[in-house]
Amino acid sequence: MKAQDLVEDRGDVSRALFDRIAPRYDLTNRVLSFGQDERWRRRLVKALPARAGLRVLDVATGTGDLAFAMSRDPRVDEVVGVDLSEQMLAVARDKAPDNARITFATGDAMDLGYTAAFDAVTIAFGIRNVSSPIVALRSMKQALRPAGRVLVLEFGEVYAPVRPLYNLYRRHILPVVGGALTREREAYRYLDETIAQFPSGEAFAEKLTEAGFVDPRVVDLALGGVRLYVGDVA
């Protein structure tokens, strides 16, 4: 299946794709981000609500790296990680320490099925993979308690001076390296397509407002190549 076909059918195809790359997913992330993915997740954790006893839902949790990072924060009492990919969840469960305050379960960002159950909802590098980001954001808002917060970490368009170099890496080097590590080159062509189509920056902040969040903020990371979006519930 071609990358463009993957983009146009993001639900079942995305699940199957992530099932296939799950065993090498963590290593590939470290290599392709030059180890910076851990720093980006730490930045998200810092932006959690500044109060104790947090219950957090991590959407598109993948192999659980963000869920584990949040569970180590003293503000957090419990993390629930959900994902469509059973193979990703299997890797996450294998990595979980015995004392982890984390539950992993199958879950769809478009229909989470929670109402006023969490203090924060997070999603890292997953919102661009859903068929309708606005539907997913509304489902996340429904899952939040009053004074809750959504935190979205996602790839974006880098600043203009470095854009040609970044586009060269994203379109040509990333698929080769990612394909070599996972034997799924089309998966990383798909990554390029979804980044290119994602409404990053202020365009995505407007979607937070449309979904009912207040005071949306955009934090540029990696020269804009990664952005953290923050939205609150009144």
Side-chain angles (χ1 to χ4, degrees):
M1 181 172 284
K2 295 180 180 180
Q4 185 60 38
D5 296 328
L6 297 178
V7 172
E8 292 172 354
D9 184 12
R10 295 186 182 180
D12 293 340
V13 173
S14 182
R15 180 194 299 116
L17 182 154
F18 284 105
D19 276 346
R20 294 197 301 272
I21 67 174
R24 306 279 284 179
Y25 184 72
D26 288 345
L27 172 63
T28 306
N29 281 348
R30 297 298 100 73
V31 172
L32 293 178
S33 72
F34 304 98
Q36 293 302 297
D37 58 310
E38 294 177 323
R39 181 177 68 86
W40 300 331
R41 282 190 289 272
R42 287 196 298 269
R43 182 64 184 83
L44 183 152
V45 174
K46 284 182 63 176
L48 287 168
R51 56 182 182 270
L54 297 177
R55 188 170 190 246
V56 183
L57 176 65
D58 185 37
V59 181
T61 194
T63 59
D65 279 353
L66 178 57
F68 294 129
M70 292 190 293
S71 73
R72 294 189 290 268
D73 190 282
R75 292 167 292 174
V76 176
D77 275 1
E78 180 187 3
V79 180
V80 177
V82 298
D83 201 284
L84 281 173
S85 168
E86 291 292 347
Q87 294 304 313
M88 286 284 198
L89 291 172
V91 173
R93 292 185 181 109
D94 285 345
K95 289 162 55 176
D98 292 338
N99 62 346
R101 296 165 294 168
I102 306 175
T103 302
F104 290 110
T106 305
D108 185 347
M110 301 273 286
D111 186 15
L112 293 167
Y114 295 103
T115 300
F118 297 93
D119 302 291
V121 176
T122 64
I123 181 168
F125 307 112
I127 194 71
R128 75 185 189 285
N129 292 322
V130 304
S131 298
S132 174
I134 192 66
V135 170
L137 288 171
R138 285 172 177 155
S139 183
M140 294 176 200
K141 183 175 183 292
Q142 180 178 312
L144 284 165
R145 296 166 175 160
R149 175 170 292 174
V150 69
L151 294 157
V152 179
L153 194 63
E154 192 50 88
F155 295 113
E157 201 62 72
V158 299
Y159 303 153
V162 294
R163 194 169 297 159
L165 182 61
Y166 172 71
N167 288 343
L168 173 67
Y169 172 73
R170 196 186 76 197
R171 295 169 184 168
H172 301 289
I173 298 173
L174 187 150
V176 172
V177 177
L181 290 170
T182 64
R183 299 192 180 95
E184 291 286 345
R185 186 164 179 168
E186 284 303 320
Y188 291 89
R189 293 194 185 281
Y190 165 78
L191 173 64
D192 172 48
E193 294 285 351
T194 55
I195 293 172
Q197 294 183 13
F198 184 72
S200 64
E202 291 304 319
F204 188 74
E206 290 175 6
K207 290 190 178 295
L208 289 173
T209 301
E210 185 180 348
F213 292 99
V214 299
D215 190 24
R217 286 93 76 198
V218 183
V219 181
D220 282 357
L221 306 170
L223 301 176
V226 174
R227 290 184 170 97
L228 173 64
Y229 302 90
V230 185
D232 293 327
V233 176

